[in-house]
Amino acid sequence: MSPVDSLWAAPMRAALAEAELAAAGGDVPVGAVVVDAAGELIGRGHNQREAAGDPTAHAEIVALRAAAASVGGWRLAGCTLVVTLEPCSMCAGAAVLARVDRVVYGAIDPKAGAAGSLWDLLRDRRANHRPEVIAGVLDDECSALLRDWFSARRPGLAGDPLQ
């Protein structure tokens, strides 16, 4: 395990536990947590789009809302968003607007990722805030969870959902 993976392994495992909750609820297994500067978990969330009937109920949004409630305000400076899948444009934008210090993610999403693969909203020089981005933490575990979930629901479909 790399030093970066070692540093972020525990929060990523908490995010993976959230992803399992999403899967159990019939949603795409993506989980997220927010940790403060001291490493304390202050927000957690998992995809709830199906359960809530809400297109914005992505894991990152749910976790950021919980963290904001925990600190009593929308500015999450000093915090890190840890998520099992590369954030989409909506979630990357929310991370920028929340002023998180960094975004750590596991699996790369070449179809909708906005943290370096398809787009790079988090490091766009035109943005008023640019969080640090750390990619690929526990990537194999995060990717396997998604692949298994999609293959169980879409048997016979060619291709990897993460390709």
Side-chain angles (χ1 to χ4, degrees):
M1 185 178 289
S2 77
V4 171
D5 276 3
S6 295
L7 180 63
W8 297 108
M12 186 60 78
R13 290 199 192 293
L16 280 162
E18 286 293 318
E20 293 282 357
L21 293 173
D27 218 319
V28 177
V30 178
V33 297
V34 177
V35 294
D36 66 13
E40 296 296 318
L41 196 146
I42 61 167
R44 62 177 66 235
H46 55 273
N47 274 359
Q48 297 177 30
R49 294 179 307 164
E50 298 299 330
D54 179 356
T56 68
H58 288 206
E60 299 95 324
I61 302 297
V62 175
L64 289 168
R65 285 177 178 155
S70 176
V71 301
W74 63 269
R75 284 185 180 87
L76 297 175
C79 294
T80 300
L81 173 64
V82 180
V83 59
T84 58
L85 179 65
E86 179 181 3
C88 69
S89 57
M90 176 181 68
C91 295
V96 168
L97 293 172
R99 310 293 198 272
V100 298
D101 281 9
R102 85 189 44 74
V103 174
V104 176
Y105 68 89
I108 293 169
D109 185 354
K111 293 182 180 179
S117 61
L118 187 58
W119 297 290
D120 198 351
L121 297 178
L122 293 172
R123 293 176 282 210
D124 191 314
R125 293 178 127 348
R126 296 167 292 185
N128 63 342
H129 177 73
R130 289 181 296 281
E132 175 186 9
V133 176
I134 300 171
V137 173
L138 301 183
D139 174 40
D140 291 341
E141 291 177 50
C142 296
S143 297
L145 182 60
L146 286 158
R147 275 192 204 98
D148 292 349
W149 190 86
F150 277 106
S151 67
R153 278 148 188 81
R154 300 175 183 171
L157 278 183
D160 185 332
L162 300 175
Q163 295 289 335

